[in-house]
Amino acid sequence: MHRLSASFVLGYHGCDSAVAEDLLRSVPFKVSGNDYDWLGSGVYFWEANPRRGLDFVTEVMSRGKTPIKVPAVVGAVIDLGSCLDLMTAVGIDMVRIGYESLAETLRTAGAALPVNKDDLRRQLDRAVIERVHAIVEANGAAIDTVRGVFVEGKPIYPGSGFDAKTHIQIAVRNPRCIKGVFRVPDEHLKGP
């Protein structure tokens, strides 16, 4: 975990258009606390990828049982602050320590580890990340954001090592790290 010298990034959040308008009027973001959120509790953003934010909210709508009626995306300026960055050796080591701590605690209690059910429902990963937060907080510090690469989707051509939905995702735990919200121009949401 470390502070980057250039720690500001643009993130994109998919939501209902009414929620987007509220966010643009400075209504606070709602923290996601689903048991499958792979980066733990936080407000989720796609780094530098507004189209992925729109694709996500459209996919959620296609599954039904959602309050989303009209898909929208808002952009945000995010200060990563104290970031658990899963694209660094330090971040990976911290997660490994979190896993070992969680596994030992559950083993001692005679309980089973959670299981990642698939690429989207990742209860084990969430539990490990939450353990890392607990360890850091027990030492008098806090993690503001968690950032990781999510390899998702089908290969973009036969034999490809590139997958169609791969993205960088950020979970913001400290709402003060969201420095501003902006409307995403329509041309940023369209394909080539």
Side-chain angles (χ1 to χ4, degrees):
M1 194 171 63
H2 61 297
R3 184 165 183 85
L4 304 171
S5 57
S7 64
F8 289 93
V9 298
L10 296 181
Y12 297 90
H13 181 80
C15 56
D16 183 73
S17 63
V19 171
E21 292 304 319
D22 285 345
L23 294 169
L24 290 164
R25 288 192 305 272
S26 300
V27 171
F29 283 85
K30 182 181 174 188
V31 172
S32 181
N34 299 309
D35 72 345
Y36 53 80
D37 288 335
W38 75 297
L39 297 178
S41 294
V43 179
Y44 277 71
F45 294 91
W46 282 264
E47 182 176 326
N49 199 342
R51 278 191 42 211
R52 186 64 188 103
L54 183 62
D55 290 347
F56 169 77
V57 78
T58 303
E59 290 167 13
V60 168
M61 288 177 64
S62 72
R63 293 183 204 132
K65 294 186 181 180
T66 178
I68 299 169
K69 293 178 179 42
V70 177
V73 176
V74 295
V77 176
I78 301 167
D79 179 353
L80 294 175
S82 178
C83 180
L84 174 59
D85 192 336
L86 304 178
M87 296 180 289
T88 66
V90 171
I92 295 298
D93 287 344
M94 289 180 69
V95 172
R96 187 177 298 113
I97 290 166
Y99 171 80
E100 291 165 358
S101 172
L102 179 65
E104 178 60 29
T105 298
L106 292 176
R107 188 173 26 259
T108 301
L113 279 166
V115 174
N116 287 339
K117 293 185 171 84
D118 55 37
D119 285 344
L120 298 177
R121 297 175 296 164
R122 296 172 63 170
Q123 285 83 353
L124 174 60
D125 293 343
R126 176 193 170 77
V128 170
I129 295 293
E130 291 297 335
R131 176 54 61 105
V132 172
H133 288 299
I135 291 168
V136 170
E137 290 167 5
N139 287 298
I143 296 170
D144 295 319
T145 61
V146 181
R147 180 180 187 219
V149 172
F150 191 64
V151 178
E152 181 184 12
K154 296 179 180 176
I156 60 173
Y157 51 83
S160 173
F162 306 109
D163 294 332
K165 295 182 182 180
T166 297
H167 59 276
I168 297 173
Q169 200 160 42
I170 300 168
V172 176
R173 290 180 63 93
N174 179 350
R176 291 176 292 177
C177 289
I178 301 171
K179 299 301 184 183
V181 179
F182 58 91
R183 190 175 306 279
V184 178
D186 287 340
E187 60 267 17
H188 292 158
L189 299 172
K190 295 179 181 166

